[in-house]
Amino acid sequence: MINRQRISDEFARQASIDSPSFKESKIADYLADRFKQLGAEVEFDEAGPVIGSESGNMIARFPGSKEGAPFMLSGHMDTVTPADGVVPILVDGVFRSKGETILGADDKAGLAEIIEAIEVLEEQNIPHVPLEVIITVCEEIGLLGAKQLDFTKLKSKWGVALDTSGINRAINSAPAANRMTIEVFGHEAHAGVEPEKGISAIQVAAKAVAKMKLGRIDEETTANIGVVEGGLAANIIPKQVTLKAEVRSHNPEKLRQQTEHMLKCLEEEVAAAVIEVNGKPIRASLALQIQDDYPMMHVPFNASVLRIFKEAGVALDRPVAIQAAGGGSDANIFNEHGIETVILGSGMEKVHSVHEEVSVDDMVQVTELLVEMIRRA
Ligand SMILES: [Zn+2]
């Protein structure tokens, strides 16, 4: 049913078009032509200038050949770097780059699978509901395209995003995250001449961090201090240090609790750091910025999109898995906007590295699953 050569060629063509975040115009032009050729009506939204990208998000609409609620297929056209002069090389059925760049299977494997699925639907005259294909820009740098997507242009209430590793798996839940930038202020003094007149911001922060529960907190929650920056010179008691931290959790209450725990550790140590200089108290202090990075998603097991996913697995006589994942992706944003979206494995592996790879066999298998899902949508 799937044309192996065609999907392999499709992937190779896309991978050969460099498309790091913000520089998506070439791949956008290619995809617009390709989807028009397949019979879609194609438009771009206005996200490009807002986020500073060469392109907006692409929306391709295919009319249905049967009645029913429109179904969304999505992916992203940007890649991480290094992506300068990507040359996809196929050896023993597996695509890799030459070794100096990423391959871009994240997310071009997914895009090739969507295109092949649509080829097959038309070729085999498989009745399907209207399809809305959303291909975003700047996913890799904080879901910028999806966050600016003009959702008024979409009618779908359910769909899939092809954007995770593995095959025959659907991600139905992903954590929400808090990103924090914390500044601890101490008091500057000469470290050799009058150290008793200083409060070391680094020491205050270090004591707080030492008290924090970090890493894996429980099966739903993780926390990390990822950056510590501060101080001017070895002989100056540092007056300022900046920490960058994150907390992720599938459970909003645990997200709040862990965030508060970390802030409490900081507040306690900051409050304890008081000295007296010339009869006057000098205190450490704290400045804090918390950003909720992306909304949580949780698609219930009985959702229609998971029903057709499971049915497709049965029809193809292969085991499928529904899992939680540890990252944020466009699907979080789609779910937030009321499009019940699960993330399907596209077969891409070792992503965000120069060792990235995808096999043609896996892309064929994913496309088979996708066709069976669309047939049931
Ligand atoms: Zn991706």
Side-chain angles (χ1 to χ4, degrees):
M1 182 168 76
I2 309 299
N3 187 326
R4 221 186 129 78
Q5 188 61 48
R6 185 170 58 198
I7 191 169
S8 177
D9 292 347
E10 177 64 40
F11 176 76
R13 268 197 306 276
Q14 290 186 30
S16 307
I17 303 171
D18 298 348
S19 63
S21 306
F22 293 123
K23 293 182 183 152
E24 296 106 337
S25 64
K26 282 201 213 82
I27 190 81
D29 289 347
Y30 169 79
L31 290 167
D33 286 348
R34 189 73 179 87
F35 279 97
K36 279 180 200 159
Q37 185 194 19
L38 288 167
E41 180 198 297
V42 176
E43 71 166 310
F44 287 85
D45 72 4
E46 302 300 320
V50 180
I51 60 179
S53 167
E54 289 176 354
S55 173
N57 301 298
M58 193 194 86
I59 302 162
R61 297 184 185 85
F62 292 88
S65 49
K66 72 173 187 191
E67 292 284 303
F71 189 68
M72 181 193 72
L73 305 168
S74 82
H76 59 90
M77 64 178 95
D78 65 314
T79 71
V80 294
T81 56
D84 202 3
V86 178
V87 180
I89 294 174
L90 182 61
V91 177
D92 297 333
V94 179
F95 277 106
R96 294 190 186 85
S97 76
K98 266 168 57 182
E100 295 101 38
T101 68
I102 52 108
L103 174 63
D106 179 3
D107 192 23
K108 288 163 181 169
L111 306 188
E113 288 151 7
I114 290 172
I115 287 169
E116 177 62 18
I118 290 167
E119 291 270 20
V120 170
L121 292 174
E122 301 310 320
E123 219 162 57
Q124 314 258 329
N125 289 313
I126 298 171
H128 60 83
V129 296
L131 300 173
E132 290 181 317
V133 180
I134 313 302
I135 304 190
T136 61
V137 293
C138 292
E139 192 271 352
E140 297 287 6
I141 46 166
L143 321 179
L144 297 185
K147 285 175 180 171
Q148 284 300 325
L149 179 63
D150 184 353
F151 281 90
T152 63
K153 293 181 183 291
L154 306 187
K155 293 198 181 75
S156 302
K157 292 286 169 235
W158 62 331
V160 291
L162 285 109
D163 193 16
T164 191
S165 57
I167 61 170
N168 300 323
R169 64 195 285 256
I171 305 295
N172 73 320
S173 66
N178 280 336
R179 290 263 161 93
M180 290 175 271
T181 302
I182 304 143
E183 280 179 288
V184 176
F185 301 99
H187 191 71
E188 194 168 282
H190 193 289
V193 180
E194 43 181 17
E196 40 292 291
K197 292 186 180 171
I199 299 174
S200 165
I202 289 178
Q203 199 173 16
V204 173
K207 283 184 189 167
V209 172
K211 277 173 30 186
M212 288 177 192
K213 287 177 286 175
L214 295 171
R216 176 158 300 286
I217 307 303
D218 58 42
E219 72 278 355
E220 293 184 304
T221 312
T222 60
N224 184 47
I225 303 273
V227 175
V228 177
E229 269 171 355
L232 292 172
N235 65 350
I236 304 171
I237 292 183
K239 68 171 179 186
Q240 193 264 2
V241 64
T242 302
L243 310 180
K244 290 186 181 167
E246 67 156 38
V247 181
R248 302 179 187 213
S249 183
H250 292 277
N251 178 322
E253 181 55 24
K254 288 179 179 173
L255 179 72
R256 192 187 58 76
Q257 278 173 8
Q258 173 63 22
T259 306
E260 278 181 5
H261 156 72
M262 291 163 73
L263 297 180
K264 190 159 163 275
C265 292
L266 282 155
E267 281 162 2
E268 283 171 3
E269 289 307 321
V270 164
V274 191
I275 55 167
E276 223 179 75
V277 178
N278 304 329
K280 276 194 236 158
I282 292 178
R283 299 171 195 283
S285 62
L286 193 63
L288 179 71
Q289 206 186 316
I290 303 185
Q291 230 180 340
D292 51 340
D293 208 38
Y294 39 81
M296 189 159 42
M297 65 174 254
H298 183 79
V299 176
F301 283 107
N302 61 1
S304 302
V305 65
L306 286 174
R307 175 182 55 77
I308 62 171
F309 171 69
K310 289 179 276 188
E311 286 173 3
V314 172
L316 292 166
D317 195 21
R318 58 169 90 147
V320 293
I322 299 168
Q323 297 167 336
S329 76
D330 283 353
N332 295 50
I333 310 292
F334 294 138
N335 278 289
E336 187 195 14
H337 285 269
I339 306 176
E340 209 161 49
T341 308
V342 294
I343 309 164
L344 293 186
S346 69
M348 63 190 187
E349 301 296 341
K350 302 177 193 165
V351 298
H352 298 194
S353 86
V354 297
H355 308 292
E356 191 184 6
E357 61 183 41
V358 66
S359 81
V360 179
D361 276 348
D362 283 355
M363 288 196 288
V364 167
Q365 284 213 49
V366 174
T367 309
E368 285 168 348
L369 189 76
L370 192 56
V371 169
E372 290 307 317
M373 284 183 75
I374 296 169
R375 192 201 290 278
R376 288 166 175 77

